[in-house]
Amino acid sequence: MNDSIRAEIRPSGTSRGQLRKLREEGKVPGVLYGKDQASSPLMVDEKELMALIKDSSTRVLQMKLGEKDDIPVMVGDVQRDALSRSILHVDFRQVNMQDPIRAQVRVEIVGEPKASKSEYLLHVQKTEVEVRCLPEHLPGVIHADISGLNIGNGLTAGQLTLPEGVELEDDPSEVIAVVMAVKKPLDPDEAEGVHDAAAGEAPKTQKEADTPVKS
């Protein structure tokens, strides 16, 4: 089931002062882009948008824009304030449900390697992969199962299990994650604390991070 978002048309050529007032009212200015058609300036509710993008999953949304039929869209560029992290502007891309699309999908590590928690760290090298599929088949997240890996082993993009109808566009030899030995074995309490802390972190913007595996 697709999520939906309400949008309102806003006048083109909106001044900076008018945009600031919109944001103060809890609205986010944005633009809807479509193939072979002019872009449309619009605005959406900030809380509604935040709720849809907070988990960084990739999916098709149904945009309710005035009296028009629901428009299938995907969130594009999101501009944020450097300090407050509030959303300043958002781009939406209209999609044709009959045409394949290419999109970046978040990779989530699942499972545990054979080594004990005190012996390894998981070196995550890639947190997203590009796929190609029909919009209705687009997964929100792709799981990277590291179950059974030994220290020194890694998982590549080509080893990911993709849903039916989804093709990998990235180089299949690209490494997603590697199980690495720690230089000094951690005591049980320290190892548990390190792994539990990392389990609550979902790398969303960084392309490379050293983190223990999520439990």
Side-chain angles (χ1 to χ4, degrees):
M1 180 178 179
N2 290 321
D3 294 296
S4 62
I5 185 167
R6 295 169 297 173
E8 302 173 59
I9 294 292
R10 63 178 174 87
S12 58
T14 312
S15 68
R16 289 186 178 181
Q18 291 171 318
L19 292 176
R20 183 169 58 251
K21 185 177 180 181
L22 284 178
R23 296 185 184 107
E24 291 173 351
E25 295 173 350
K27 302 292 184 179
V28 176
V31 175
L32 172 62
Y33 295 96
K35 185 177 181 181
D36 301 326
Q37 68 182 47
S39 59
S40 301
L42 48 77
M43 54 187 176
V44 297
D45 183 81
E46 183 179 21
K47 291 182 179 179
E48 192 173 342
L49 178 61
M50 290 287 287
L52 288 171
I53 66 175
K54 65 180 181 179
D55 63 354
S56 296
S57 62
T58 305
R59 57 194 183 278
V60 176
L61 308 174
Q62 295 299 322
M63 176 176 284
K64 300 181 183 298
L65 183 60
E67 299 299 321
K68 298 181 180 180
D69 293 336
D70 289 357
I71 304 171
V73 301
M74 293 182 65
V75 177
D77 185 45
V78 177
Q79 299 176 24
R80 293 179 181 267
D81 183 270
L83 298 178
S84 68
R85 303 304 296 162
S86 60
I87 301 177
L88 301 177
H89 190 276
V90 59
D91 290 341
F92 293 96
R93 175 166 59 95
Q94 185 172 349
V95 299
N96 186 328
M97 298 300 288
Q98 307 304 315
D99 293 339
I101 58 174
R102 295 173 61 164
Q104 294 286 336
V105 178
R106 179 168 59 89
V107 174
E108 181 178 298
I109 305 296
V110 297
E112 295 185 2
K114 291 182 177 180
S116 67
K117 289 186 176 182
S118 63
E119 298 175 329
Y120 78 92
L121 288 175
L122 186 66
H123 184 62
V124 179
Q125 296 186 205
K126 193 172 178 66
T127 59
E128 292 181 330
V129 291
E130 184 174 30
V131 300
R132 182 177 186 273
C133 62
L134 289 173
E136 64 180 321
H137 294 153
L138 183 65
V141 64
I142 294 174
H143 291 138
D145 191 355
I146 60 168
S147 299
L149 293 184
N150 287 306
I151 290 177
N153 292 158
L155 185 74
T156 65
Q159 294 174 307
L160 295 172
T161 300
L162 302 180
E164 184 177 355
V166 179
E167 300 176 358
L168 180 70
E169 288 292 299
D170 282 342
D171 184 344
S173 66
E174 285 193 87
V175 176
I176 301 296
V178 178
V179 180
M180 303 177 64
V182 295
K183 295 180 179 180
K184 178 182 177 182
L186 305 175
D187 63 57
D189 290 339
E190 185 180 6
E192 191 68 32
V194 170
H195 284 261
D196 287 347
E201 299 173 0
K204 298 174 183 177
T205 57
Q206 64 196 57
K207 292 299 180 183
E208 182 172 301
D210 287 320
T211 63
V213 66
K214 297 177 68 175
S215 57

